[in-house]
Amino acid sequence: MKVAYWPGCVSRGFTPELHGSMAAVAPKLGIELVELDRANCCGAGVIAEHNQELVDTLNARTFAMAQSVEGAAGMMNICSTCQGAQSECQERLDASSDYRGTVNEHLKPEGLSYERDGDWWNKNFLWLLVEEIGLDELRSKVVRPLDGLRVAPFYGCYIVRPTRRLGYAEHPERDQYLEQVIEAIGAQPVDYAGKHKCCGFPLITMNRTTSLRQAGRHLADAIDAGADCLVTPCPLCHLNLDLQQPDASKFVERDLGVPVLHFPQLVGLALGLEPKELGMNKHVVKTTEVQRKVAALAAA
Amino acid sequence: MPTYSLKVRRFDPESGDAAYWESFEVELPPERSVLDGILQARNDQDGSIAIRCSCQAAICGSCAVRINGKTALACNTKLGEALERGKDGAIVVEPMGNMPVIKDLVVDMDAVHWKKVQRVVPWLLPDGPPPEREYIVPAESMIDITQAMACIHCGACVGACLALEVDPDFIGPAALAKAYRFVGDPRDGQTEERLRDLAEDEHGLYDCTHCFACVEVCPKDVAPMDQIMRLRRRATSDYGIKDGNNGYGHEKAFVNIIEKWGTLHEAQLLPRSFGQGSLIRSQIDPDSLKQLIPTLPTVINGLKSGKVSPKKALIHPKLPDQDQVRRIFDEVHSREERIELNMYIVGESGPEEES
């Protein structure tokens, strides 16, 4: 399957292991990635806060580029925040032809135009994996079932709310896909209070206490529920849950120390890729224990 | 007639016992509401079940509870649909979060919701002497605030707010949406003062974690978070209000970075946010430095893990077509008035969409 691929800013910035792991996993699943390397930032909710026409135009530009990739089934992203920010713009662009015309006017000099098309989609890799590739197909490709690995899902707000905007009417189980994938690759999903809650990242520059109390609380809940690691399809959640974890521990006044995997990393492990190929050595909270468990599986 | 199992969180402070779960079986058609189910259980099985309710038509806003973990009006949630999202064949009903429980499903709205609404001065403060007759405003000028006016004060957003969960001092979604109802009202004379007050409150405008929980649960489509973003837009773009939380700086920093590079130069976001959008100011301003220093361990962790290289922190490539992105910024910023598509009204009186 060929897709127009928007990796986002953070996967090529502070979480390069996400970008790398997606590149490693895609061929294993028969996904051909056509990277939109001329596309711009989605705005991450911040440009929307500043000016709607601006953010809608910026994302219309990205959509227009994706729509012109020949033979692509749709557009794929690997960031919950990109998904939510872009879906918000797409909702407005699709709601009014007048408004869409105003936005497309800005793209005219380059001959770009975003066209409303009920069949065109922009899906996070998590959605694409479950809906376009399918769990059965995934199961058939698993060479290393992650038997006994206890994984706590962490979705990221932008991919679970608001349900009306994010296609839940058509796909009501989108807030359960992580658990479904965790099971499909032989691991064990861990249920805990925080899985659909906020990591706190949007507040990290504005109220560090509120932000890191959120991150710390969810990490602590996952640990108490017996998780070996968390998994998230959002690199911004990853920044607050992994990069900031040592600091978050101070705000909840307890030890944490639970590794947080990017979604493609977890899938990649089950598809037989090695932790190093998936950049698992580039985490702040060491993934050694997860690696040891995976190595033991291979030996067994 | 189908039978539904309602698993209700019970609590009676006078008993001295901890909260506990109790299940009730009710027989009702699937299109009847969860509130109907609770009232039937109270009528036929246990008269001591406490729940607030009145209109039973999603107008009075009395019966907000948590159903299967999601805050909603009990009268506005059908039993059949609730069961689909239930757990182990039961519909789980709990009191709302973020507010003290008085008894069973009744929470103390005065202690949290109404106190916060009072905080934002929820009445009109017009300038100058009152007109001889009523205040006259053009109908179009009220469109912007119709959504905020639709609030029925059920408290569902307050109960679901994920920032309130860790910061009880946060003004919260309902009160901030109410604040926008007056900030956006052309008759109000205290627009800037209101915005300044909310922006400068450490637990105000810039304590919202942008999680969409309030948008998701609001039974009246008020989208409180969208109103908070409108408040922020007015505070920064129209009045240039600088706050103590770096809200102004963060927005300026983010927008400036994308205008310059096209994608996010993360290493500059934090210092620029602390420096009101400017990288230079961030390094000479004592307030900014005071904030930068505690983040150093995180920076060091990032470098040590190999995530961030010093080169990447210093040099960020521009997009190949960055001149296009810049042109878009210029065109949009040169408009006299911001263009916004109001999704709340677009279906009714906005431009028609082809189907």
Side-chain angles (χ1 to χ4, degrees), chain A residues 13-14 17 38 48 50 53 106 110 158 161 163 175 205 213, chain B residues 85 166 210-211 216 233 246 251 266 307 312 321 327 331 333 335:
Chain A
F14 282 3
E17 69 281 1
R38 291 172 176 264
H50 168 72
E53 184 193 5
H106 295 298
E110 287 80 35
Y158 284 76
R161 287 178 296 269
T163 47
D175 59 356
T205 52
R213 269 195 201 150
Chain B
R85 301 291 285 180
V166 292
H210 213 282
C211 69
E216 178 66 17
R233 197 143 58 228
N246 311 308
E251 186 196 305
E266 293 159 290
K307 273 176 178 299
K312 194 151 82 187
D321 307 320
R327 201 203 61 241
E331 286 177 10
H333 281 153
R335 286 197 195 281

PDB file of all heavy atoms in Angstrom, chain A residues 13-14 17 38 48 50 53 106 110 158 161 163 175 205 213, chain B residues 85 166 210-211 216 233 246 251 266 307 312 321 327 331 333 335:
ATOM      1  N   GLY A  13      12.613  15.601  14.947  1.00  0.00           N
ATOM      2  CA  GLY A  13      13.324  16.498  15.852  1.00  0.00           C
ATOM      3  C   GLY A  13      13.791  15.754  17.084  1.00  0.00           C
ATOM      4  O   GLY A  13      14.763  14.998  17.032  1.00  0.00           O
ATOM      5  N   PHE A  14      13.030  15.910  18.187  1.00  0.00           N
ATOM      6  CA  PHE A  14      13.471  15.357  19.462  1.00  0.00           C
ATOM      7  C   PHE A  14      13.132  13.881  19.665  1.00  0.00           C
ATOM      8  O   PHE A  14      13.527  13.301  20.672  1.00  0.00           O
ATOM      9  CB  PHE A  14      12.908  16.194  20.623  1.00  0.00           C
ATOM     10  CG  PHE A  14      13.657  17.483  20.848  1.00  0.00           C
ATOM     11  CD1 PHE A  14      14.699  17.861  20.015  1.00  0.00           C
ATOM     12  CD2 PHE A  14      13.328  18.324  21.910  1.00  0.00           C
ATOM     13  CE1 PHE A  14      15.396  19.047  20.219  1.00  0.00           C
ATOM     14  CE2 PHE A  14      14.023  19.512  22.125  1.00  0.00           C
ATOM     15  CZ  PHE A  14      15.051  19.873  21.272  1.00  0.00           C
ATOM     16  N   GLU A  17      13.990   8.531  16.965  1.00  0.00           N
ATOM     17  CA  GLU A  17      13.781   7.081  16.986  1.00  0.00           C
ATOM     18  C   GLU A  17      12.397   6.705  16.476  1.00  0.00           C
ATOM     19  O   GLU A  17      12.193   5.600  15.987  1.00  0.00           O
ATOM     20  CB  GLU A  17      14.039   6.529  18.402  1.00  0.00           C
ATOM     21  CG  GLU A  17      13.032   6.921  19.485  1.00  0.00           C
ATOM     22  CD  GLU A  17      13.224   8.336  20.060  1.00  0.00           C
ATOM     23  OE1 GLU A  17      14.134   9.057  19.617  1.00  0.00           O
ATOM     24  OE2 GLU A  17      12.429   8.708  20.960  1.00  0.00           O
ATOM     25  N   ARG A  38       8.179  18.438   1.763  1.00  0.00           N
ATOM     26  CA  ARG A  38       8.019  19.878   1.564  1.00  0.00           C
ATOM     27  C   ARG A  38       6.835  20.428   2.363  1.00  0.00           C
ATOM     28  O   ARG A  38       6.494  21.609   2.268  1.00  0.00           O
ATOM     29  CB  ARG A  38       7.803  20.185   0.077  1.00  0.00           C
ATOM     30  CG  ARG A  38       9.058  19.933  -0.720  1.00  0.00           C
ATOM     31  CD  ARG A  38       8.890  20.034  -2.213  1.00  0.00           C
ATOM     32  NE  ARG A  38      10.192  19.856  -2.824  1.00  0.00           N
ATOM     33  CZ  ARG A  38      10.996  20.849  -3.192  1.00  0.00           C
ATOM     34  NH1 ARG A  38      10.608  22.094  -3.055  1.00  0.00           N
ATOM     35  NH2 ARG A  38      12.189  20.610  -3.705  1.00  0.00           N
ATOM     36  N   ALA A  48      -3.702  27.270  15.568  1.00  0.00           N
ATOM     37  CA  ALA A  48      -5.165  27.375  15.577  1.00  0.00           C
ATOM     38  C   ALA A  48      -5.614  28.396  16.621  1.00  0.00           C
ATOM     39  O   ALA A  48      -6.567  29.143  16.422  1.00  0.00           O
ATOM     40  CB  ALA A  48      -5.791  26.017  15.860  1.00  0.00           C
ATOM     41  N   HIS A  50      -3.874  30.908  17.447  1.00  0.00           N
ATOM     42  CA  HIS A  50      -3.437  32.212  16.953  1.00  0.00           C
ATOM     43  C   HIS A  50      -4.334  32.725  15.818  1.00  0.00           C
ATOM     44  O   HIS A  50      -4.795  33.865  15.849  1.00  0.00           O
ATOM     45  CB  HIS A  50      -1.987  32.078  16.470  1.00  0.00           C
ATOM     46  CG  HIS A  50      -1.475  33.245  15.685  1.00  0.00           C
ATOM     47  ND1 HIS A  50      -1.181  34.447  16.264  1.00  0.00           N
ATOM     48  CD2 HIS A  50      -1.230  33.391  14.348  1.00  0.00           C
ATOM     49  CE1 HIS A  50      -0.754  35.288  15.324  1.00  0.00           C
ATOM     50  NE2 HIS A  50      -0.779  34.678  14.164  1.00  0.00           N
ATOM     51  N   GLU A  53      -7.613  30.863   9.969  1.00  0.00           N
ATOM     52  CA  GLU A  53      -7.413  30.851   8.520  1.00  0.00           C
ATOM     53  C   GLU A  53      -5.977  30.429   8.196  1.00  0.00           C
ATOM     54  O   GLU A  53      -5.731  29.696   7.236  1.00  0.00           O
ATOM     55  CB  GLU A  53      -7.698  32.241   7.940  1.00  0.00           C
ATOM     56  CG  GLU A  53      -7.606  32.281   6.416  1.00  0.00           C
ATOM     57  CD  GLU A  53      -7.575  33.694   5.853  1.00  0.00           C
ATOM     58  OE1 GLU A  53      -7.522  34.653   6.644  1.00  0.00           O
ATOM     59  OE2 GLU A  53      -7.592  33.832   4.621  1.00  0.00           O
ATOM     60  N   HIS A 106      -5.059  31.061  -1.372  1.00  0.00           N
ATOM     61  CA  HIS A 106      -3.666  31.250  -0.923  1.00  0.00           C
ATOM     62  C   HIS A 106      -2.715  30.256  -1.588  1.00  0.00           C
ATOM     63  O   HIS A 106      -1.509  30.472  -1.613  1.00  0.00           O
ATOM     64  CB  HIS A 106      -3.539  31.053   0.593  1.00  0.00           C
ATOM     65  CG  HIS A 106      -4.276  32.064   1.414  1.00  0.00           C
ATOM     66  ND1 HIS A 106      -3.996  33.410   1.373  1.00  0.00           N
ATOM     67  CD2 HIS A 106      -5.290  31.931   2.314  1.00  0.00           C
ATOM     68  CE1 HIS A 106      -4.801  34.051   2.213  1.00  0.00           C
ATOM     69  NE2 HIS A 106      -5.598  33.173   2.787  1.00  0.00           N
ATOM     70  N   GLU A 110       1.043  28.225  -6.468  1.00  0.00           N
ATOM     71  CA  GLU A 110       1.786  26.972  -6.677  1.00  0.00           C
ATOM     72  C   GLU A 110       0.940  25.938  -7.407  1.00  0.00           C
ATOM     73  O   GLU A 110       1.369  24.784  -7.564  1.00  0.00           O
ATOM     74  CB  GLU A 110       2.238  26.384  -5.330  1.00  0.00           C
ATOM     75  CG  GLU A 110       3.378  27.153  -4.687  1.00  0.00           C
ATOM     76  CD  GLU A 110       2.923  28.409  -3.969  1.00  0.00           C
ATOM     77  OE1 GLU A 110       1.820  28.398  -3.397  1.00  0.00           O
ATOM     78  OE2 GLU A 110       3.664  29.413  -4.006  1.00  0.00           O
ATOM     79  N   TYR A 158      -5.474  13.991  21.300  1.00  0.00           N
ATOM     80  CA  TYR A 158      -5.857  14.425  19.964  1.00  0.00           C
ATOM     81  C   TYR A 158      -6.368  13.288  19.074  1.00  0.00           C
ATOM     82  O   TYR A 158      -6.918  13.532  18.020  1.00  0.00           O
ATOM     83  CB  TYR A 158      -4.666  15.095  19.268  1.00  0.00           C
ATOM     84  CG  TYR A 158      -4.363  16.490  19.726  1.00  0.00           C
ATOM     85  CD1 TYR A 158      -3.740  16.739  20.937  1.00  0.00           C
ATOM     86  CD2 TYR A 158      -4.681  17.582  18.915  1.00  0.00           C
ATOM     87  CE1 TYR A 158      -3.446  18.027  21.339  1.00  0.00           C
ATOM     88  CE2 TYR A 158      -4.385  18.873  19.301  1.00  0.00           C
ATOM     89  CZ  TYR A 158      -3.765  19.094  20.513  1.00  0.00           C
ATOM     90  OH  TYR A 158      -3.464  20.382  20.908  1.00  0.00           O
ATOM     91  N   ARG A 161     -10.333  12.453  21.207  1.00  0.00           N
ATOM     92  CA  ARG A 161     -11.376  13.460  21.394  1.00  0.00           C
ATOM     93  C   ARG A 161     -11.181  14.609  20.419  1.00  0.00           C
ATOM     94  O   ARG A 161     -10.028  14.939  20.130  1.00  0.00           O
ATOM     95  CB  ARG A 161     -11.332  14.019  22.831  1.00  0.00           C
ATOM     96  CG  ARG A 161     -11.831  13.074  23.892  1.00  0.00           C
ATOM     97  CD  ARG A 161     -11.693  13.690  25.274  1.00  0.00           C
ATOM     98  NE  ARG A 161     -10.308  13.920  25.627  1.00  0.00           N
ATOM     99  CZ  ARG A 161      -9.532  13.053  26.273  1.00  0.00           C
ATOM    100  NH1 ARG A 161     -10.006  11.904  26.660  1.00  0.00           N
ATOM    101  NH2 ARG A 161      -8.265  13.339  26.532  1.00  0.00           N
ATOM    102  N   THR A 163     -14.750  12.830  19.640  1.00  0.00           N
ATOM    103  CA  THR A 163     -15.065  11.638  18.843  1.00  0.00           C
ATOM    104  C   THR A 163     -15.805  12.000  17.551  1.00  0.00           C
ATOM    105  O   THR A 163     -15.633  11.357  16.536  1.00  0.00           O
ATOM    106  CB  THR A 163     -15.917  10.660  19.648  1.00  0.00           C
ATOM    107  OG1 THR A 163     -16.987  11.372  20.271  1.00  0.00           O
ATOM    108  CG2 THR A 163     -15.104   9.970  20.723  1.00  0.00           C
ATOM    109  N   ASP A 175     -10.740   4.007  20.035  1.00  0.00           N
ATOM    110  CA  ASP A 175     -10.109   4.208  21.343  1.00  0.00           C
ATOM    111  C   ASP A 175      -9.743   2.876  22.009  1.00  0.00           C
ATOM    112  O   ASP A 175      -9.393   2.836  23.182  1.00  0.00           O
ATOM    113  CB  ASP A 175     -11.002   5.058  22.267  1.00  0.00           C
ATOM    114  CG  ASP A 175     -12.367   4.431  22.494  1.00  0.00           C
ATOM    115  OD1 ASP A 175     -12.655   3.380  21.887  1.00  0.00           O
ATOM    116  OD2 ASP A 175     -13.151   4.992  23.282  1.00  0.00           O
ATOM    117  N   THR A 205       5.302  24.458  28.896  1.00  0.00           N
ATOM    118  CA  THR A 205       5.929  25.786  28.989  1.00  0.00           C
ATOM    119  C   THR A 205       5.086  26.753  29.820  1.00  0.00           C
ATOM    120  O   THR A 205       5.561  27.807  30.190  1.00  0.00           O
ATOM    121  CB  THR A 205       6.118  26.426  27.593  1.00  0.00           C
ATOM    122  OG1 THR A 205       4.864  26.392  26.925  1.00  0.00           O
ATOM    123  CG2 THR A 205       7.153  25.714  26.786  1.00  0.00           C
ATOM    124  N   ARG A 213       2.494  16.920  36.768  1.00  0.00           N
ATOM    125  CA  ARG A 213       1.637  16.119  37.650  1.00  0.00           C
ATOM    126  C   ARG A 213       0.791  15.167  36.814  1.00  0.00           C
ATOM    127  O   ARG A 213       0.523  14.033  37.219  1.00  0.00           O
ATOM    128  CB  ARG A 213       0.716  17.027  38.460  1.00  0.00           C
ATOM    129  CG  ARG A 213       1.305  17.426  39.783  1.00  0.00           C
ATOM    130  CD  ARG A 213       0.200  18.006  40.655  1.00  0.00           C
ATOM    131  NE  ARG A 213       0.781  18.830  41.707  1.00  0.00           N
ATOM    132  CZ  ARG A 213       0.180  19.881  42.239  1.00  0.00           C
ATOM    133  NH1 ARG A 213      -1.011  20.257  41.807  1.00  0.00           N
ATOM    134  NH2 ARG A 213       0.763  20.557  43.182  1.00  0.00           N
TER     135      ARG A 213
ATOM    136  N   ARG B  85     -21.413   0.666  25.608  1.00  0.00           N
ATOM    137  CA  ARG B  85     -20.125   1.117  26.134  1.00  0.00           C
ATOM    138  C   ARG B  85     -19.940   0.665  27.587  1.00  0.00           C
ATOM    139  O   ARG B  85     -19.053   1.153  28.282  1.00  0.00           O
ATOM    140  CB  ARG B  85     -20.011   2.648  26.058  1.00  0.00           C
ATOM    141  CG  ARG B  85     -20.140   3.236  24.672  1.00  0.00           C
ATOM    142  CD  ARG B  85     -18.975   2.904  23.768  1.00  0.00           C
ATOM    143  NE  ARG B  85     -17.778   3.663  24.083  1.00  0.00           N
ATOM    144  CZ  ARG B  85     -16.633   3.540  23.428  1.00  0.00           C
ATOM    145  NH1 ARG B  85     -16.527   2.684  22.427  1.00  0.00           N
ATOM    146  NH2 ARG B  85     -15.579   4.245  23.763  1.00  0.00           N
ATOM    147  N   VAL B 166      -5.674  17.691  38.231  1.00  0.00           N
ATOM    148  CA  VAL B 166      -4.399  17.851  38.942  1.00  0.00           C
ATOM    149  C   VAL B 166      -4.209  19.253  39.513  1.00  0.00           C
ATOM    150  O   VAL B 166      -3.325  19.476  40.323  1.00  0.00           O
ATOM    151  CB  VAL B 166      -3.175  17.498  38.050  1.00  0.00           C
ATOM    152  CG1 VAL B 166      -3.153  16.016  37.737  1.00  0.00           C
ATOM    153  CG2 VAL B 166      -3.153  18.329  36.791  1.00  0.00           C
ATOM    154  N   HIS B 210      -5.651  21.628  26.912  1.00  0.00           N
ATOM    155  CA  HIS B 210      -5.969  21.391  25.500  1.00  0.00           C
ATOM    156  C   HIS B 210      -6.272  19.912  25.232  1.00  0.00           C
ATOM    157  O   HIS B 210      -5.818  19.342  24.248  1.00  0.00           O
ATOM    158  CB  HIS B 210      -4.774  21.840  24.641  1.00  0.00           C
ATOM    159  CG  HIS B 210      -5.168  22.381  23.312  1.00  0.00           C
ATOM    160  ND1 HIS B 210      -5.525  21.569  22.254  1.00  0.00           N
ATOM    161  CD2 HIS B 210      -5.272  23.642  22.846  1.00  0.00           C
ATOM    162  CE1 HIS B 210      -5.816  22.322  21.201  1.00  0.00           C
ATOM    163  NE2 HIS B 210      -5.686  23.580  21.536  1.00  0.00           N
ATOM    164  N   CYS B 211      -7.057  19.278  26.122  1.00  0.00           N
ATOM    165  CA  CYS B 211      -7.273  17.835  26.014  1.00  0.00           C
ATOM    166  C   CYS B 211      -8.609  17.476  25.393  1.00  0.00           C
ATOM    167  O   CYS B 211      -8.899  16.301  25.178  1.00  0.00           O
ATOM    168  CB  CYS B 211      -7.173  17.194  27.393  1.00  0.00           C
ATOM    169  SG  CYS B 211      -8.556  17.637  28.477  1.00  0.00           S
ATOM    170  N   GLU B 216     -15.741  17.126  24.375  1.00  0.00           N
ATOM    171  CA  GLU B 216     -16.327  15.809  24.177  1.00  0.00           C
ATOM    172  C   GLU B 216     -17.613  15.613  24.978  1.00  0.00           C
ATOM    173  O   GLU B 216     -18.562  15.018  24.492  1.00  0.00           O
ATOM    174  CB  GLU B 216     -15.299  14.734  24.578  1.00  0.00           C
ATOM    175  CG  GLU B 216     -15.772  13.292  24.473  1.00  0.00           C
ATOM    176  CD  GLU B 216     -16.049  12.854  23.032  1.00  0.00           C
ATOM    177  OE1 GLU B 216     -15.586  13.521  22.093  1.00  0.00           O
ATOM    178  OE2 GLU B 216     -16.755  11.841  22.875  1.00  0.00           O
ATOM    179  N   ARG B 233      -6.835  34.035  21.779  1.00  0.00           N
ATOM    180  CA  ARG B 233      -6.638  34.765  20.521  1.00  0.00           C
ATOM    181  C   ARG B 233      -6.857  36.253  20.739  1.00  0.00           C
ATOM    182  O   ARG B 233      -6.102  37.087  20.284  1.00  0.00           O
ATOM    183  CB  ARG B 233      -7.628  34.205  19.491  1.00  0.00           C
ATOM    184  CG  ARG B 233      -7.335  34.524  18.074  1.00  0.00           C
ATOM    185  CD  ARG B 233      -7.671  33.359  17.151  1.00  0.00           C
ATOM    186  NE  ARG B 233      -9.051  32.920  17.214  1.00  0.00           N
ATOM    187  CZ  ARG B 233      -9.434  31.644  17.338  1.00  0.00           C
ATOM    188  NH1 ARG B 233      -8.541  30.691  17.419  1.00  0.00           N
ATOM    189  NH2 ARG B 233     -10.694  31.328  17.363  1.00  0.00           N
ATOM    190  N   ASN B 246       3.727  32.434  30.388  1.00  0.00           N
ATOM    191  CA  ASN B 246       4.336  32.335  29.047  1.00  0.00           C
ATOM    192  C   ASN B 246       3.322  31.979  27.966  1.00  0.00           C
ATOM    193  O   ASN B 246       3.701  31.511  26.899  1.00  0.00           O
ATOM    194  CB  ASN B 246       5.442  31.277  28.968  1.00  0.00           C
ATOM    195  CG  ASN B 246       6.442  31.388  30.085  1.00  0.00           C
ATOM    196  OD1 ASN B 246       6.968  32.458  30.306  1.00  0.00           O
ATOM    197  ND2 ASN B 246       6.674  30.298  30.791  1.00  0.00           N
ATOM    198  N   GLU B 251       2.795  31.242  22.273  1.00  0.00           N
ATOM    199  CA  GLU B 251       2.119  31.410  20.983  1.00  0.00           C
ATOM    200  C   GLU B 251       3.010  32.169  20.002  1.00  0.00           C
ATOM    201  O   GLU B 251       3.190  31.762  18.852  1.00  0.00           O
ATOM    202  CB  GLU B 251       0.794  32.149  21.176  1.00  0.00           C
ATOM    203  CG  GLU B 251      -0.007  32.229  19.883  1.00  0.00           C
ATOM    204  CD  GLU B 251      -1.115  33.264  19.920  1.00  0.00           C
ATOM    205  OE1 GLU B 251      -1.945  33.206  20.830  1.00  0.00           O
ATOM    206  OE2 GLU B 251      -1.138  34.127  19.020  1.00  0.00           O
ATOM    207  N   GLU B 266      12.436  22.751  17.622  1.00  0.00           N
ATOM    208  CA  GLU B 266      12.057  22.515  19.019  1.00  0.00           C
ATOM    209  C   GLU B 266      13.014  23.139  20.021  1.00  0.00           C
ATOM    210  O   GLU B 266      12.595  23.604  21.072  1.00  0.00           O
ATOM    211  CB  GLU B 266      12.000  21.004  19.280  1.00  0.00           C
ATOM    212  CG  GLU B 266      10.906  20.323  18.527  1.00  0.00           C
ATOM    213  CD  GLU B 266      11.196  18.843  18.408  1.00  0.00           C
ATOM    214  OE1 GLU B 266      12.131  18.490  17.664  1.00  0.00           O
ATOM    215  OE2 GLU B 266      10.516  18.056  19.062  1.00  0.00           O
ATOM    216  N   LYS B 307      18.995  11.460  21.703  1.00  0.00           N
ATOM    217  CA  LYS B 307      17.820  11.980  20.991  1.00  0.00           C
ATOM    218  C   LYS B 307      18.154  13.281  20.284  1.00  0.00           C
ATOM    219  O   LYS B 307      17.713  13.537  19.185  1.00  0.00           O
ATOM    220  CB  LYS B 307      16.747  12.375  22.012  1.00  0.00           C
ATOM    221  CG  LYS B 307      15.830  11.324  22.459  1.00  0.00           C
ATOM    222  CD  LYS B 307      14.946  11.944  23.534  1.00  0.00           C
ATOM    223  CE  LYS B 307      13.938  10.948  24.018  1.00  0.00           C
ATOM    224  NZ  LYS B 307      13.057  10.479  22.986  1.00  0.00           N
ATOM    225  N   LYS B 312      21.797  19.471  16.027  1.00  0.00           N
ATOM    226  CA  LYS B 312      20.362  19.594  15.760  1.00  0.00           C
ATOM    227  C   LYS B 312      19.740  20.707  16.606  1.00  0.00           C
ATOM    228  O   LYS B 312      18.811  21.381  16.180  1.00  0.00           O
ATOM    229  CB  LYS B 312      19.679  18.260  16.074  1.00  0.00           C
ATOM    230  CG  LYS B 312      18.293  18.197  15.506  1.00  0.00           C
ATOM    231  CD  LYS B 312      17.830  16.839  15.149  1.00  0.00           C
ATOM    232  CE  LYS B 312      17.287  15.920  16.077  1.00  0.00           C
ATOM    233  NZ  LYS B 312      16.997  14.595  15.679  1.00  0.00           N
ATOM    234  N   ASP B 321      10.497  24.941   0.290  1.00  0.00           N
ATOM    235  CA  ASP B 321       9.607  25.973  -0.262  1.00  0.00           C
ATOM    236  C   ASP B 321       9.146  26.942   0.811  1.00  0.00           C
ATOM    237  O   ASP B 321       7.990  27.345   0.848  1.00  0.00           O
ATOM    238  CB  ASP B 321       8.369  25.322  -0.900  1.00  0.00           C
ATOM    239  CG  ASP B 321       8.738  24.269  -1.915  1.00  0.00           C
ATOM    240  OD1 ASP B 321       9.708  24.503  -2.661  1.00  0.00           O
ATOM    241  OD2 ASP B 321       8.081  23.219  -1.942  1.00  0.00           O
ATOM    242  N   ARG B 327       4.716  33.415   2.460  1.00  0.00           N
ATOM    243  CA  ARG B 327       3.722  34.195   1.725  1.00  0.00           C
ATOM    244  C   ARG B 327       2.339  33.997   2.343  1.00  0.00           C
ATOM    245  O   ARG B 327       1.563  34.936   2.493  1.00  0.00           O
ATOM    246  CB  ARG B 327       3.720  33.792   0.242  1.00  0.00           C
ATOM    247  CG  ARG B 327       3.119  34.853  -0.666  1.00  0.00           C
ATOM    248  CD  ARG B 327       2.622  34.268  -1.983  1.00  0.00           C
ATOM    249  NE  ARG B 327       1.574  33.287  -1.753  1.00  0.00           N
ATOM    250  CZ  ARG B 327       1.663  32.018  -2.103  1.00  0.00           C
ATOM    251  NH1 ARG B 327       2.728  31.559  -2.720  1.00  0.00           N
ATOM    252  NH2 ARG B 327       0.668  31.187  -1.830  1.00  0.00           N
ATOM    253  N   GLU B 331      -0.022  36.916   3.751  1.00  0.00           N
ATOM    254  CA  GLU B 331      -1.368  37.168   3.219  1.00  0.00           C
ATOM    255  C   GLU B 331      -2.408  37.158   4.338  1.00  0.00           C
ATOM    256  O   GLU B 331      -3.266  38.032   4.403  1.00  0.00           O
ATOM    257  CB  GLU B 331      -1.729  36.110   2.163  1.00  0.00           C
ATOM    258  CG  GLU B 331      -0.997  36.306   0.846  1.00  0.00           C
ATOM    259  CD  GLU B 331      -1.293  35.207  -0.175  1.00  0.00           C
ATOM    260  OE1 GLU B 331      -2.218  34.385   0.068  1.00  0.00           O
ATOM    261  OE2 GLU B 331      -0.614  35.176  -1.207  1.00  0.00           O
ATOM    262  N   HIS B 333      -1.918  37.476   7.643  1.00  0.00           N
ATOM    263  CA  HIS B 333      -1.699  38.527   8.644  1.00  0.00           C
ATOM    264  C   HIS B 333      -2.032  39.923   8.125  1.00  0.00           C
ATOM    265  O   HIS B 333      -2.257  40.837   8.913  1.00  0.00           O
ATOM    266  CB  HIS B 333      -0.244  38.481   9.149  1.00  0.00           C
ATOM    267  CG  HIS B 333      -0.013  37.391  10.157  1.00  0.00           C
ATOM    268  ND1 HIS B 333       1.206  36.803  10.355  1.00  0.00           N
ATOM    269  CD2 HIS B 333      -0.844  36.772  11.026  1.00  0.00           C
ATOM    270  CE1 HIS B 333       1.112  35.871  11.294  1.00  0.00           C
ATOM    271  NE2 HIS B 333      -0.134  35.837  11.704  1.00  0.00           N
ATOM    272  N   ARG B 335      -4.656  40.773   6.559  1.00  0.00           N
ATOM    273  CA  ARG B 335      -6.103  41.041   6.565  1.00  0.00           C
ATOM    274  C   ARG B 335      -6.462  41.993   7.699  1.00  0.00           C
ATOM    275  O   ARG B 335      -5.892  41.929   8.783  1.00  0.00           O
ATOM    276  CB  ARG B 335      -6.886  39.741   6.777  1.00  0.00           C
ATOM    277  CG  ARG B 335      -6.906  38.844   5.578  1.00  0.00           C
ATOM    278  CD  ARG B 335      -8.021  37.823   5.757  1.00  0.00           C
ATOM    279  NE  ARG B 335      -7.891  36.707   4.829  1.00  0.00           N
ATOM    280  CZ  ARG B 335      -8.249  36.739   3.552  1.00  0.00           C
ATOM    281  NH1 ARG B 335      -8.743  37.852   3.037  1.00  0.00           N
ATOM    282  NH2 ARG B 335      -8.112  35.691   2.782  1.00  0.00           N
TER     283      ARG B 335
END
